[in-house]
Amino acid sequence: IQITFGRYVRQGRKLGVDPKLFIQDLQFNKVPVRVYQPKATSDGRRRGIIFFHGGGWVFGSLDTYEKVCRYISRESESVVVSVQYRLAPEHKYPAAYEDCLNATIHFMKNIELYGVDPANVIVCGDSAGGNLAAAVSQTLAGRSDLPKLRAQILIYPGLQALDFNLPSYHQNRGVPLLFRERAAFFALQYLNGDALHMQEVLEGSHIPPDMRLKYRKWVSPDNIPEKFKVRGVKPLRPTDFIAEVYETVKRFCEPNLCPLLAEDAIVHQLPESFILTCEYDVLRDDGLLYKKRLEDNGVRVTWYHLEDGFHGIISLYDYCGFSFPAGKRGLDSVVNFLKSL
């Protein structure tokens, strides 16, 4: 009931025609998409952006992100493809990831139909969509049969489910729009279609000690710059590992679900990256940790930090008359990055 109501509240109003854009609903490899194309004539082929919306893998639709996608398409003069991937809990992992991957591959293989330059395709997403963009980007990095992605844009992405006790989880645990408990709730809905064992996952007893040690080099407060710890750090109390909980969530260690855990050999091949983080966001440190991993592997990263931003602020751009200046700044930072490519 909670999820059904949440979807109803978020469904977004139907917008009128946009004088500057040609918009059509299509299917890419059976996945519903909405394609936004600038009407103005172009000197050459345009850049193409594949957009995966946020909403915890549970919420969100093409309509919810209509204003954001129109804005990006208009302002950056790009073709934008917004992907309606299947949602949890009805469709568990890897359904959303597979839909995003299949829609992206379809677009790349039929790119001339949309007047897009095959060397200038970008994946982009916010929150859960940032997770999906990172996963798709990693999968395509190893493909020799398709053009290389030009860039990936990750807007406050959620990238790991090993540690819900990083400094940003502690500091922002009660900050809207994403509470600490909800982050674990969404990850479990996506993985298993239910939120059983949420408490154990929050406490960290779902990961075996040897595995925690293995991933410490990537998932650790030690890799987060000191200035992000001044608002307080709560060291993780060693909790007892519970094997039967691990059995139900062990796929959290798959990079397609938690891209922060990909091996260096994959991260090394990733395209130029843009990462946006917000100070008041439980997922802030996921973005900071991935930024470090990318830079350590020689990938060029543009990082934009909204000091006054909170999780979900981009999706509130011009939402029912609301608008936050920080959200507009964040969106414009994305547009400026796109124009620089």
Side-chain angles (χ1 to χ4, degrees):
I1 300 286
Q2 185 185 20
I3 286 172
T4 311
F5 178 71
R7 286 182 185 159
Y8 172 74
V9 170
R10 288 174 176 80
Q11 60 194 5
R13 289 190 306 238
K14 286 266 188 259
L15 299 181
V17 293
D18 188 305
K20 293 188 171 175
L21 298 175
F22 177 58
I23 302 171
Q24 52 182 338
D25 286 356
L26 302 168
Q27 293 219 329
F28 281 4
N29 210 342
K30 302 197 176 75
V31 181
V33 298
R34 186 166 290 165
V35 182
Y36 303 81
Q37 293 171 276
K39 285 181 179 172
T41 50
S42 167
D43 298 342
R45 289 179 296 186
R46 297 190 186 276
R47 72 178 74 78
I49 302 156
I50 300 148
F51 183 85
F52 311 129
H53 68 75
W57 304 280
V58 167
F59 299 118
S61 66
L62 300 177
D63 290 339
T64 324
Y65 278 78
E66 177 84 359
K67 285 184 176 173
V68 170
C69 290
R70 286 186 180 195
Y71 188 83
I72 293 172
S73 179
R74 268 198 321 265
E75 298 299 314
S76 71
E77 297 179 332
S78 308
V79 174
V80 173
V81 176
S82 184
V83 178
Q84 181 58 78
Y85 54 86
R86 285 169 294 167
L87 298 175
E90 295 87 344
H91 304 282
K92 297 182 285 201
Y93 168 77
Y97 157 75
E98 287 174 347
D99 286 355
C100 292
L101 180 64
N102 289 334
T104 303
I105 291 171
H106 177 95
F107 181 59
M108 292 174 113
K109 287 184 171 170
N110 296 277
I111 207 148
E112 65 289 338
L113 298 176
Y114 304 96
V116 168
D117 177 357
N120 207 352
V121 175
I122 297 108
V123 288
C124 173
D126 71 311
S127 194
N131 166 283
L132 295 164
V136 166
S137 189
Q138 288 181 2
T139 304
L140 294 177
R143 295 270 301 243
S144 50
D145 58 324
L146 292 166
K148 286 258 176 268
L149 286 173
R150 177 66 186 84
Q152 58 173 352
I153 295 175
L154 313 177
I155 300 168
Y156 38 69
L159 300 169
Q160 59 85 32
L162 259 61
D163 190 348
F164 288 93
N165 292 279
L166 290 167
S168 58
Y169 269 108
H170 170 59
Q171 295 163 5
N172 304 305
R173 58 188 181 275
V175 178
L177 298 173
L178 183 63
F179 302 126
R180 175 172 172 261
E181 277 74 20
R182 298 298 284 173
F185 171 85
F186 286 138
L188 284 164
Q189 292 287 351
Y190 180 36
L191 176 62
N192 289 331
D194 60 54
L196 296 175
H197 306 303
M198 187 168 89
Q199 216 39 54
E200 294 90 333
V201 167
L202 284 165
E203 285 164 11
S205 50
H206 63 306
I207 301 293
D210 58 328
M211 205 165 262
R212 204 171 273 295
L213 210 59
K214 174 190 168 183
Y215 290 122
R216 234 194 114 69
K217 60 182 184 286
W218 300 331
V219 186
S220 160
D222 302 344
N223 293 354
I224 293 160
E226 288 305 316
K227 70 173 191 181
F228 293 104
K229 299 177 192 172
V230 292
R231 289 200 290 128
V233 176
K234 188 174 163 199
L236 181 57
R237 294 193 317 277
T239 46
D240 294 332
F241 166 59
I242 305 171
E244 54 269 31
V245 174
Y246 172 63
E247 278 310 307
T248 67
V249 301
K250 59 181 180 219
R251 296 184 81 182
F252 274 159
C253 297
E254 294 180 13
N256 286 341
L257 182 58
C258 294
L260 185 56
L261 308 183
E263 295 298 329
D264 283 332
I266 299 286
V267 177
H268 180 73
Q269 299 179 64
L270 290 172
E272 181 175 346
S273 305
F274 175 95
I275 296 179
L276 182 137
T277 52
C278 291
E279 181 57 33
Y280 300 99
D281 180 3
V282 290
L283 299 185
R284 178 197 70 197
D285 294 349
D286 284 27
L288 295 176
L289 291 170
Y290 203 45
K291 169 181 182 280
K292 181 177 181 349
R293 286 218 58 203
L294 290 162
E295 288 170 344
D296 288 350
N297 279 281
V299 177
R300 187 170 164 193
V301 180
T302 301
W303 172 53
Y304 194 84
H305 185 62
L306 288 172
E307 293 283 358
D308 51 350
F310 55 86
H311 190 83
I313 196 166
I314 302 288
S315 60
L316 293 179
Y317 164 72
D318 195 13
Y319 179 79
C320 302
F322 283 114
S323 207
F324 293 88
K328 174 88 162 57
R329 284 205 313 279
L331 209 45
D332 286 338
S333 72
V334 169
V335 167
N336 292 334
F337 174 73
L338 286 165
K339 287 175 163 173
S340 76
L341 297 174

